[in-house]
């Protein structure tokens, strides 16, 4: 068996790379602190070993990785930068929602409440049937009382109160881009981010809400029978479902 | 000091010892085989490093004992407040 120097170096660096992997696994699986510390420092050593061999090979011209294709590099830069721009605005909204400082009516911060097997947004109103005389709904009303007070000003506001609050808030409907509704656009299956009707202030004449109506129109048709049901229609449907 | 060892740590330790053993042999042999002085030097250094690692691992294995029952007390499952509130 005759190894040239190049073959020796190649085998050295390959086996060194494999050993790096097994030590990574060893570190991840260690629960004993002193073993883990030693494994980490050994792993560091192994990386250095591999780099020493790499340097020798590199000087000899034995290690020639392919250069990145310029076109692929440009494409990757574009893709990542575009995605990064999108994610920046997403993350901005997330941190606002978590801090709860601005955008009081943004859906991202809205907790949901479980009723039967349905999850609702926390804004009270017509879509629970507007009925506050059942004990179930009374219990729910009291539980969401605090939040509803923050949001709407009273636990069971009159429609005009609610309209005033909703239209008065800059962040609520007009500022939401349609894509932000995308995730919660199911109607009557929960999440009610985008429920039509009273919870939007009953106003279907703003462009934003019209667009949302048309987006959920198909689903609303299946469920309610028409894209813009009257309150009585809607109550009838909700009662059927209960 | 005696160290508590889990089953998986034992397996990993065994594996790594075997590999280091192999690496010591390999790099020592390569240091002899090669005619390139720089490569020879690197191989010697790396072999020495592996020897150190090997000794460390052996020391851990020898000072180890089986881990005591390795359990943590898990709090009993409790429904979240929300679930509690809305159980009708």
């Amino acid at each position: 068996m005759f190894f040239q120097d190049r073959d020796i170096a190649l085998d050295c660096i390959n086996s060194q790379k494999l050993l790096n992997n097994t030590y990574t696994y060893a570190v991840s699986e260690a629960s004993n602190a002193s073993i883990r510390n030693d494994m980490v420092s050994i792993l560091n050593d192994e990386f250095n070993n591999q780099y020493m061999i790499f340097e020798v090979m590199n000087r000899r011209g034995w290690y020639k990785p392919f250069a990145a294709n310029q076109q692929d590099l440009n494409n990757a830069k574009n893709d990542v930068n575009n995605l990064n721009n999108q994610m920046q605005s997403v993350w901005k909204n997330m941190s606002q929602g978590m801090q709860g400082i601005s955008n009081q009516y943004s859906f991202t911060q809205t907790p949901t409440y479980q009723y039967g097997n349905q999850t609702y947004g926390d804004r009270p109103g017509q879509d629970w049937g507007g009925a506050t005389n059942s004990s179930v709904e009374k219990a729910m009303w009291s539980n969401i009382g605090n939040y509803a007070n923050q949001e709407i000003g009273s636990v069971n506001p009159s429609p005009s109160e609610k309209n005033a609050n909703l239209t008065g808030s800059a962040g609520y409907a007009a500022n939401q881009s349609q894509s932000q509704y995308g995730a919660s656009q199911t109607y009557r299956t929960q999440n009610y981010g985008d429920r039509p009707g009273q919870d939007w202030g009953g106003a279907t004449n703003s462009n934003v809400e019209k667009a949302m109506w048309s987006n959920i129109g198909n689903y609303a048709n299946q469920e309610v029978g028409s894209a813009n049901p009257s309150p009585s229609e809607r109550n009838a449907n909700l009662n059927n479902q209960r | 000091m005696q160290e508590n060892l889990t089953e998986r740590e034992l397996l990993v330790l065994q594996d790594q010892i075997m590999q280091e053993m192999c690496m010591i042999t390999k790099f020592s042999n390569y240091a002899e085989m090669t005619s390139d002085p720089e490569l020879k030097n690197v191989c010697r250094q790396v072999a020495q490093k592996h020897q150190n690692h090997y000794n460390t691992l052996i020391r851990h294995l020898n000072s180890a004992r089986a881990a005591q029952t390795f359990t943590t007390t898990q709090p009993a499952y409790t429904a979240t407040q929300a679930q509690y509130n809305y159980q009708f």
Side-chain angles (χ1 to χ4, degrees), chain A residues 1-16 53, chain B residues 22-47:
Chain A
M1 185 172 82
F2 180 68
F3 267 24
Q4 291 182 335
D5 292 343
R6 191 171 167 279
D7 303 318
I8 290 174
L10 199 62
D11 185 45
C12 285
I13 198 164
N14 283 338
S15 51
Q16 203 55 62
I53 301 163
Chain B
C22 179
M23 294 297 258
I24 295 166
T25 314
K26 173 184 281 193
F27 278 89
S28 307
N29 278 327
Y30 282 169
E32 298 306 314
M33 281 167 67
T34 181
S35 53
D36 183 322
E38 199 187 2
L39 190 57
K40 194 184 275 285
N41 187 25
V42 166
C43 282
R44 285 217 183 100
Q45 285 183 41
V46 173

Side-chain angles (χ1 to χ4, degrees), chain A residues 81-109:
Chain A
N81 286 336
N82 288 341
L83 198 58
N84 181 42
N85 288 341
Q86 290 174 26
M87 290 313 286
Q88 288 301 333
S89 64
V90 171
W91 290 330
K92 190 159 159 263
N93 288 341
M94 284 168 78
S95 67
Q96 280 175 354
M98 285 184 277
Q99 290 158 12
I101 43 167
S102 62
N103 230 357
Q104 271 244 329
Y105 296 94
S106 101
F107 295 133
T108 49
Q109 76 179 79

Side-chain angles (χ1 to χ4, degrees), chain A residues 11 23 34 38 59-60, chain B residues 3 9 20 30 36 38 60:
Chain A
D11 185 45
Y23 271 111
S34 94
D38 278 347
R59 273 198 289 274
R60 303 278 181 281
Chain B
E3 288 167 342
E9 281 175 322
E20 290 291 5
Y30 282 169
D36 183 322
E38 199 187 2
H60 277 296

